[in-house]
Amino acid sequence: MPDQKIDLEYNKNEDAIKLEISRMNRLLQQIYLGGGQKKLDKQKAKGKLTARERIQHLIDPDSDFLELGAFAGYEMYEEYGGCPAGGVVMGIGYVSGRQCMIVANDASVKAGAWFPITGKKNLRAQEIAIENRLPIIYLVDSAGVFLPMQDEIFPDKEHFGRMFRNNAVMSSMGIPQIAAIMGSCVAGGAYLPIMSDEALIVDKTGSIFLAGPYLVKAAIGETVDKETLGGATTQSEISGVTDYKMPDDETCLKTIRDLVDKFGTFENAGFSREEPKPPAKDPEEIPGLFPINRAKPYDTMDIIERLVDESKITLYKEGYGQTIICGYARIDGWAVGIVANSRKVVKNKKGEMQFGGVIYSDSADKAARFIMNCNQKKIPLVFLHDVTGFMVGKRSEHGGIIKDGAKMVSAVSNSTVPKFSIVMGNSYGAGNYAMCGKAYDPRLIVAWPTAKIAVMGGAQAAKVLLQIQTASMKAKGKEVSEEAEKELYEKIKNRYDKQTTPYYAAARLWVDAIIDPQETRKVISMGIEAANNAPVAKFNPGVIQT
């Protein structure tokens, strides 16, 4: 009978998570259509490839492309018709055997115009390229800033202009940048390809100028057509602004591959890698072992053993601070230090019960020491999130939970080895910070479809907000019936629950991608391979106190 219960629970989890994965894939298929099939067909009628077709022609055949930010802009800007994928496709791909960051404007989405999320996504691409010293390839096809929202994309530090600053910084760092002008390239957007190290332009479809024909007519009264003003012949043979004139998209992309083929290499970081070995325990069992009921305890080791090579992990301080698991393992051959939230309910050596998913003082202390050890040994860190936060209450406060939590947050902040975060389940409050949330510079942060990211869970937040609102109403002499309270609670909870979904987070680039759990090993491996291009800075232990 116990075995049947376990099987039933396993099957329920597996079915529920596979439904979530199917939903994710259906949404992605819609996003991949950009501005819609008609607009993609219109682009192809002009002799142009679509953004995703360009990337497929550019990368090595049968190689992986790790798309990032596909959900950027999801359910945002609906008053303007939406902005699928932020109007730009980006990710890490292999070009002539070399990992590169690739950024391709999607002209089917508002002619490739830049929304605020487009700028944020492009800056994230540049950030990843800078941190990992990856060559970056821009496939430019954009009408420039989306004018109705110019105040949210143009003037601030992390807006449109920051990209050109980053162009200059990358050039000074010796990070190769290649830009292909494959469509419109107007106004401020014209600086991005020309501030790159080399620029290609496609004849008849590519054009680049600071002001288009209409603005030239309005500004100085001159009448000029687009080709004469800034077409491929003008910019390659008269102005010398571009370096290569290409007859079509395919030739342009092949030429970029030829250019990348000649790149030299940097000194690498020297992370340990051995021959990759698959987990001994089947990764396909993860959906059945991961509870869809986020309050239900489970053994996080069951998940870890299906992510690491040969299912082997050397546990650090196994019997101490048991609500965090720390240990050394390999993922696809790469040595890693794993920091994971344990979701089992345990009894510590003092006989006290500790609840899974909560960070206690001893767990925070253990994790901080482990993170410092990984920095000393030059081992990349992998954080597996399923955390509801730090322990609260009188006993925890008297025991100095804030001080111990600060140790862990400080260790994460000052860590200089690459960090990779996988949000499997909950990632709430300061637990998100301690487990290397987006604010703590993970090289990549991805979420499973089961992830929840917020200050606290929907039910808890709704109860807190309900108490505040009803107290305020009663203070004004208003009576609040039980039925009204229940209605208000549900309204608050539904709003809050929507804001905790991985889609809400991915739309705003709080995470780089939502992935199938089966892709976790690949994402971590490609991330460490990218990070290996950039030597690790000297470890700074900061203010961590023992």
Side-chain angles (χ1 to χ4, degrees), residues 201-214:
I201 187 167
V202 178
D203 195 21
K204 306 302 182 209
T205 56
S207 58
I208 179 168
F209 28 63
L210 290 181
Y214 294 120

Side-chain angles (χ1 to χ4, degrees), residues 34-237:
Q37 191 61 54
K38 285 184 179 178
K39 289 190 177 178
L40 293 175
D41 291 342
K42 189 176 177 181
Q43 190 171 340
K44 295 181 82 167
K46 295 177 181 176
K48 297 162 67 173
L49 298 172
T50 67
R52 286 188 166 77
E53 286 175 340
R54 286 167 175 167
I55 289 172
Q56 286 305 311
H57 277 72
L58 179 63
I59 63 175
D60 298 342
D62 302 318
S63 67
D64 287 318
F65 176 66
L66 178 57
E67 182 168 350
L68 305 172
F71 282 100
Y74 176 68
E75 293 188 336
M76 295 169 66
Y77 314 118
E78 291 181 344
E79 66 273 35
Y80 298 113
C83 186
V88 64
V89 185
M90 81 171 196
I92 299 171
Y94 296 88
V95 180
S96 298
R98 179 76 170 260
Q99 264 193 342
C100 296
M101 172 57 70
I102 302 168
V103 181
N105 295 115
D106 186 351
S108 74
V109 180
K110 295 288 189 294
W114 290 65
F115 284 71
I117 198 66
T118 319
K120 187 173 183 180
K121 187 170 174 178
N122 276 263
L123 290 173
R124 178 61 176 148
Q126 290 182 322
E127 180 182 36
I128 291 169
I130 289 169
E131 286 180 331
N132 299 291
R133 294 208 309 194
L134 290 180
I136 186 164
I137 299 167
Y138 307 100
L139 307 179
V140 186
D141 193 346
S142 171
V145 165
F146 185 62
L147 291 177
M149 303 190 75
Q150 65 85 26
D151 60 323
E152 296 182 48
I153 181 63
F154 171 67
D156 210 346
K157 181 179 177 181
E158 299 298 331
H159 283 179
F160 194 61
R162 187 76 172 181
M163 287 186 308
F164 315 137
R165 174 263 186 196
N166 288 348
N167 287 142
V169 167
M170 283 189 274
S171 287
S172 72
M173 293 174 68
I175 298 171
Q177 299 174 83
I178 294 177
I181 301 157
M182 309 183 83
S184 295
C185 191
V186 186
Y191 283 106
L192 184 140
I194 306 311
M195 290 191 73
S196 299
D197 302 307
E198 293 183 284
L200 304 87
I201 187 167
V202 178
D203 195 21
K204 306 302 182 209
T205 56
S207 58
I208 179 168
F209 28 63
L210 290 181
Y214 294 120
L215 183 54
V216 168
K217 178 69 173 176
I220 64 172
E222 182 180 31
T223 301
V224 61
D225 66 85
K226 192 162 87 168
E227 276 298 306
T228 305
L229 184 63
T233 299
T234 295
Q235 302 293 25
S236 295
E237 299 174 15

Side-chain angles (χ1 to χ4, degrees), residues 314-379:
T314 303
L315 294 173
Y316 173 79
K317 290 185 181 289
E318 182 178 0
Y320 178 73
Q322 293 180 69
T323 64
I324 285 188
I325 296 167
C326 297
Y328 303 104
R330 289 188 182 274
I331 292 178
D332 199 35
W334 294 104
V336 296
I338 292 175
V339 180
N341 303 112
S342 173
R343 286 300 307 268
K344 289 198 299 186
V345 178
V346 297
K347 189 179 284 189
N348 68 14
K349 299 303 178 185
K350 296 178 183 177
E352 300 164 335
M353 297 305 296
Q354 293 190 334
F355 300 98
V358 179
I359 303 175
Y360 291 77
S361 286
D362 53 356
S363 304
D365 175 67
K366 164 180 160 179
R369 291 169 185 270
F370 180 72
I371 289 164
M372 287 190 285
N373 285 348
C374 288
N375 274 268
Q376 187 182 46
K377 298 172 184 177
K378 203 157 69 173
I379 300 173

